[in-house]
Amino acid sequence: NILLDFYFNDEEGDGWIEGEGWLSSLVGLRNDILKGDFRSLYLAWVHTCWLHHSWEDLEADVPEPPVPVRLNTLNSALKSFVELLDMDPDLLSLVTKARRQKKREPEVEIEAMIRRLSDQEKDDFLVRAAKDEPLLSVKLNQRLQKLAKTPKSTRVQESTRTIGMMLQEAEQIKQGRKEAEGKKREAKKIQRLKKLEAEESTLWDQVDLHISEKNVKAYDAAIDILKELHTLAKHKNTEEEFERKIRHLMQKYSRLSSLKSKLSWAKLIP
């Protein structure tokens, strides 16, 4: 019997993880490992390296272990495992790249392999099945794999990468993702500003209309629009014109002290 204990300790402290409800979603990992599927072990190793990548004593030249196949198609148990570990998404993206899944584990022709079992062995498996022997399907598949003489090398891919190389590549993926997200945010901002510019005159009219209602809710609506118009003015470098229009509003509604307070609080006037 082998006991596997996955233990991770974040010294910086990131809150307490409640264990309730996790076991049912993770129990499938045991059968996977018994069947020779070591993806969970590989993911745990990678996650450990990532947690320790800032430590001075981490040996960056340690080679990556053999890479299990089918990392780009995680089953439900592995997805729960990744979620529990709170695995870095960019690191996960690195290890699950489809381009690294070149070799596929050959399928065992179950029917053909069963025909190769002796009558005595078939009867033995049937009796054990009738007695509800635990994990019998795993043991049967292991036996069929042995009969098929599937080379162990087909289950993994040898790697020439080191821990340092992997972590560096994960950082590059992270930077690339952040740059792409930044460009996407900037594009959305430009699109929003163009829409504001097209509606600028109408928005100023809406501000005047809201203020004329002379109630707190209407003032808040006017402030929200003015914040957007202020952002547009900064973008267009027309802040002097914006300030002029604000002064005009203050003169028009000089008796509304609560409005002045809200404008000041929103930093729309000195």
Side-chain angles (χ1 to χ4, degrees), residues 195-213:
K195 185 179 179 181
L196 284 174
E197 188 172 8
E199 301 173 350
E200 186 174 6
S201 179
T202 303
L203 290 174
W204 278 108
D205 291 339
Q206 288 180 10
V207 169
D208 200 342
L209 182 62
H210 283 310
I211 295 175
S212 67
E213 294 179 21

Side-chain angles (χ1 to χ4, degrees), residues 81-243:
F81 188 54
V82 166
E83 182 182 353
L84 179 64
L85 296 181
D86 192 21
M87 196 168 179
D88 182 86
D90 300 304
L91 182 65
L92 184 62
S93 175
L94 168 65
V95 300
T96 57
K97 277 184 179 179
R99 66 178 176 81
R100 299 183 57 222
Q101 315 304 316
K102 295 179 181 179
K103 297 181 181 179
R104 294 185 62 84
E105 184 176 354
E107 296 290 336
V108 174
E109 296 181 4
I110 295 178
E111 292 81 359
M113 292 304 102
I114 286 179
R115 286 194 291 269
R116 293 177 60 180
L117 293 171
S118 66
D119 290 341
Q120 181 180 353
E121 197 167 11
K122 291 176 184 176
D123 290 343
D124 178 59
F125 273 113
L126 284 172
V127 171
R128 292 159 67 187
K131 293 181 178 179
D132 292 326
E133 179 179 324
L135 298 174
L136 184 61
S137 64
V138 173
K139 297 170 185 176
L140 175 58
N141 277 284
Q142 287 176 343
R143 174 63 179 137
L144 297 179
Q145 282 278 3
K146 187 175 181 181
L147 281 174
K149 296 181 180 179
T150 303
K152 187 177 181 181
S153 61
T154 61
R155 292 181 175 272
V156 297
Q157 301 175 49
E158 296 298 330
S159 174
T160 58
R161 298 191 303 187
T162 64
I163 293 177
M165 292 166 64
M166 290 183 66
L167 297 180
Q168 185 177 14
E169 190 173 348
E171 283 291 349
Q172 290 172 351
I173 291 174
K174 185 181 293 294
Q175 291 301 320
R177 175 180 58 80
K178 288 182 176 180
E179 289 177 8
E181 290 175 352
K183 290 179 180 179
K184 188 175 181 179
R185 285 194 300 269
E186 186 64 22
K188 288 180 68 175
K189 179 182 176 181
I190 296 298
Q191 186 178 6
R192 182 173 64 89
L193 289 171
K194 285 182 178 179
K195 185 179 179 181
L196 284 174
E197 188 172 8
E199 301 173 350
E200 186 174 6
S201 179
T202 303
L203 290 174
W204 278 108
D205 291 339
Q206 288 180 10
V207 169
D208 200 342
L209 182 62
H210 283 310
I211 295 175
S212 67
E213 294 179 21
K214 299 180 181 180
N215 64 69
V216 174
K217 187 176 180 180
Y219 293 163
D220 290 337
I223 294 296
D224 289 339
I225 296 174
L226 286 171
K227 286 179 179 178
E228 291 288 280
L229 289 170
H230 192 205
T231 301
L232 177 63
K234 289 180 179 178
H235 175 70
K236 294 170 57 180
N237 197 26
T238 57
E239 289 186 86
E240 289 185 6
E241 182 181 352
F242 176 83
E243 291 173 1

Side-chain angles (χ1 to χ4, degrees), residues 49-58 167:
C49 294
W50 181 259
L51 290 179
H52 298 169
H53 74 282
S54 61
W55 293 13
E56 293 182 0
D57 59 349
L58 178 66
L167 297 180

Side-chain angles (χ1 to χ4, degrees), residues 207-208 210-216 218-223 226 246 248-266 268-269:
V207 169
D208 200 342
H210 283 310
I211 295 175
S212 67
E213 294 179 21
K214 299 180 181 180
N215 64 69
V216 174
Y219 293 163
D220 290 337
I223 294 296
L226 286 171
I246 288 289
H248 175 73
L249 284 173
M250 293 299 299
Q251 292 172 359
K252 184 175 181 179
Y253 299 103
S254 58
R255 296 183 178 182
L256 302 180
S257 57
S258 59
L259 173 64
K260 183 177 180 181
S261 298
K262 285 184 174 294
L263 288 170
S264 179
W265 182 261
L268 294 170
I269 59 173

Side-chain angles (χ1 to χ4, degrees), residues 35-51:
K35 292 176 183 177
D37 182 348
F38 300 142
R39 286 178 292 176
S40 60
L41 308 184
Y42 176 86
L43 290 171
W45 176 84
V46 171
H47 180 62
T48 303
C49 294
W50 181 259
L51 290 179

